[in-house]
């Protein structure tokens, strides 16, 4: 009985001691893990760090958490979690200010946070690239807002060696069509290739949600051809609502082996805008002459908006083959009847 009682007592003592030891071990393990994360995040030289200075843009609405994630992705720090913990444990002001910042990889957390909360961003210049500009027009726009000459920008934009898959199509001879229109902030001293790369990167970001891969199956179009269609829609549509209808006319004419006869492609071939095209203009010798050549032109004729890209992907279901701009220039008249088209054209004074 004594033996049994003693054994029971020993089992009881072991059951009390076991959880204590386990708790100590778990605590030690957790502290060790935090230490390893901390040292990897701020010791510098981590495998995930950038090789050189990294740029991080803080936009309106960003919080410490979202900025920490950007810092981690840029290779400035190795752990967004540890960065946030240290910032809050120190009781520092964590209200980050908007701007574009440059950091060295492995920078000290205090230094990073001080820069972000003080708003010590790199001086920037704003450039707005409107929708529907050609490569040359974009070059002039960039030149007006930066120290980059139009010639340098155009030379950089005529290269396609920026590493983007959409420029690997053999028909993409320049970046025409992919210089995405929007407002940009660039650091002072930015170079022409850097601006071109930024615009191309924006195109990639903006089109991530579009089913461009499905365009080949549904419409029989490559991405380059899709952007070409979108660029014509951008130039031809008089308002946002009729973009999908313009798209339907383009596809309907292609299916019927009809020349597209789109004036905007003639304007592009002429390399100079004209309010009214002459009959001799329509005979210009160019692969972009959609009056003389059937099918799509070789490439985009401008940088289309996201709305025009969507219209090219999701055309309206119509049987329209013709359209003419109504008097006033705010909308088009659409029809599948050629005689009706001619009457509408005459009525609009065109």
């Amino acid at each position: 009985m004594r033996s049994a009682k003693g054994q029971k007592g020993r089992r009881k003592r072991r059951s009390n001691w076991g959880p204590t030891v386990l708790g100590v071990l778990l605590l030690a393990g957790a502290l060790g893990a935090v230490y390893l994360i901390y040292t990897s995040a701020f010791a510098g030289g981590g495998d995930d760090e950038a090789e050189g200075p990294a740029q991080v843009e803080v936009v309106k609405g960003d919080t410490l958490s979202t900025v920490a994630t950007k810092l981690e992705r840029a290779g400035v720090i190795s752990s967004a979690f540890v960065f946030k913990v240290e910032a809050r444990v120190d009781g520092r002001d964590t209200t980050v200010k908007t701007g574009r910042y440059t950091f060295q990889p492995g920078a000290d957390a205090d230094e990073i946070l001080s820069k972000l909360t003080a708003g010590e961003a790199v001086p920037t210049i704003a450039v707005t690239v409107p929708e529907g500009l050609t490569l040359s027009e974009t070059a002039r726009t960039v030149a007006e807002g930066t120290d980059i000459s139009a010639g340098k920008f155009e030379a950089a934009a005529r290269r396609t060696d920026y590493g983007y898959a959409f420029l690997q199509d053999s028909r993409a001879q320049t970046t025409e069509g992919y210089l995405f229109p929007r407002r940009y902030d660039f650091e002072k001293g930015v170079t022409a290739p850097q601006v071109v790369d930024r615009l191309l990167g924006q195109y990639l970001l903006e089109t991530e949600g579009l089913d461009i891969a499905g365009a080949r199956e549904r419409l029989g179009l490559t991405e380059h051809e899709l952007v070409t269609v979108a660029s014509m829609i951008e130039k031809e549509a008089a308002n946002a609502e009729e973009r999908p209808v313009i798209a339907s006319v383009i596809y309907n004419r292609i299916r019927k082996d009809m020349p597209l006869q789109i004036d905007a492609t003639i304007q592009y071939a002429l390399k100079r805008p004209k309010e009214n095209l002459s009959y001799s203009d329509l005979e210009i010798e160019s692969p972009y002459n959609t009056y003389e050549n059937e099918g799509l032109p070789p490439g985009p004729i401008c940088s289309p908006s996201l709305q025009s890209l969507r219209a090219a992907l999701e055309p309206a279901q119509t049987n329209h083959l013709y359209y003419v701009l109504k008097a006033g220039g705010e909308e088009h008249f659409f029809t599948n009847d050629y005689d009706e088209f001619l009457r509408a054209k005459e009525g609009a004074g065109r």
Side-chain angles (χ1 to χ4, degrees):
M1 291 291 291
R2 282 196 299 271
S3 175
K5 197 171 183 179
Q7 287 174 0
K8 187 175 181 180
R10 282 194 297 272
R11 284 197 295 271
K12 187 174 181 181
R13 283 196 297 272
R14 282 196 297 270
S15 65
N16 277 341
W17 182 248
T20 304
V21 173
L22 180 61
V24 171
L25 290 173
L26 288 173
L27 178 60
L31 291 173
V34 170
Y35 174 77
L36 288 174
I37 294 173
Y38 178 85
T39 54
S40 66
F42 297 109
D47 292 339
D48 294 333
E49 289 176 355
E51 294 180 357
Q55 293 182 349
V56 175
E57 186 173 7
V58 179
V59 299
K60 187 176 180 180
D62 272 348
T63 62
L64 178 68
S65 181
T66 56
V67 172
T69 301
K70 289 181 180 181
L71 289 167
E72 182 179 319
R73 288 175 179 170
V76 178
I77 60 176
S78 296
S79 172
F81 170 75
V82 174
F83 177 80
K84 289 183 289 183
V85 169
E86 182 173 87
R88 285 175 175 139
V89 166
D90 287 349
R92 296 276 302 276
D93 177 17
T94 58
T95 305
V96 294
K97 292 182 170 57
T98 59
R100 188 182 292 272
Y101 298 82
T102 298
F103 298 104
Q104 294 293 333
D108 180 78
D110 284 337
E111 176 190 343
I112 295 171
L113 194 59
S114 295
K115 205 169 186 178
L116 291 169
T117 55
E120 296 175 2
V122 177
T124 60
I125 45 179
V127 176
T128 298
V129 179
E131 302 166 348
L133 294 191
T134 64
L135 185 154
S136 297
E137 290 169 338
T138 302
R140 291 194 290 271
T141 298
V142 171
E144 290 171 1
T146 69
D147 294 329
I148 301 169
S149 70
K152 284 186 177 180
F153 180 89
E154 188 159 344
R158 292 197 177 280
R159 290 167 34 202
T160 58
D161 57 344
Y162 289 91
Y164 293 97
F166 52 81
L167 291 178
Q168 293 175 3
D169 190 308
S170 61
R171 288 165 295 183
Q173 299 296 307
T174 70
T175 62
E176 185 78 270
Y178 301 97
L179 302 171
F180 199 83
R182 62 158 284 176
R183 181 188 182 278
Y184 295 89
D185 290 314
F186 297 108
E187 288 188 14
K188 287 187 176 180
V190 66
T191 65
Q194 287 172 335
V195 174
V196 172
D197 185 65
R198 177 73 177 86
L199 271 60
L200 295 174
Q202 192 64 36
Y203 166 83
L204 186 64
L205 288 172
E206 297 283 350
T207 57
E208 277 184 338
L210 302 182
D211 185 21
I212 290 179
R216 182 181 290 276
E217 181 180 343
R218 294 185 293 104
L219 302 168
L221 299 177
T222 64
E223 183 168 4
H224 190 68
E225 291 169 332
L226 183 76
V227 176
T228 300
V229 172
S231 71
M232 291 188 289
I233 295 170
E234 186 69 42
K235 284 293 193 181
E236 290 287 289
N239 57 65
E241 290 72 23
E242 66 182 29
R243 292 178 204 243
V245 187
I246 295 284
S248 74
V249 174
I250 292 173
Y251 294 136
N252 290 343
R253 292 181 75 92
I254 289 176
R255 280 191 287 268
K256 289 182 174 292
D257 294 322
M258 298 172 65
L260 295 178
Q261 297 184 327
I262 289 181
D263 289 353
T265 64
I266 302 295
Q267 299 274 13
Y268 185 80
L270 291 171
K271 299 188 186 324
R272 63 185 188 279
K274 291 183 68 175
E275 188 173 345
N276 295 302
L277 295 173
S278 66
Y279 285 111
S280 61
D281 292 331
L282 303 183
E283 296 173 351
I284 183 174
E285 189 174 336
S286 168
Y288 287 90
N289 185 338
T290 55
Y291 278 80
E292 300 288 339
N293 305 301
E294 291 185 2
L296 296 174
I301 59 173
C302 72
S303 291
S305 62
L306 189 60
Q307 290 78 11
S308 290
L309 287 163
R310 285 199 179 108
L313 275 169
E314 302 170 4
Q317 299 302 308
T318 77
N319 61 355
H320 299 322
L321 294 171
Y322 310 97
Y323 57 82
V324 62
L325 190 63
K326 294 181 180 180
E330 295 182 355
E331 61 179 335
H332 284 89
F333 170 79
F334 295 90
T335 181
N336 66 336
D337 184 280
Y338 184 65
D339 291 332
E340 192 174 29
F341 161 71
L342 292 178
R343 290 194 295 273
K345 190 175 180 181
E346 184 179 359
R350 303 186 186 282

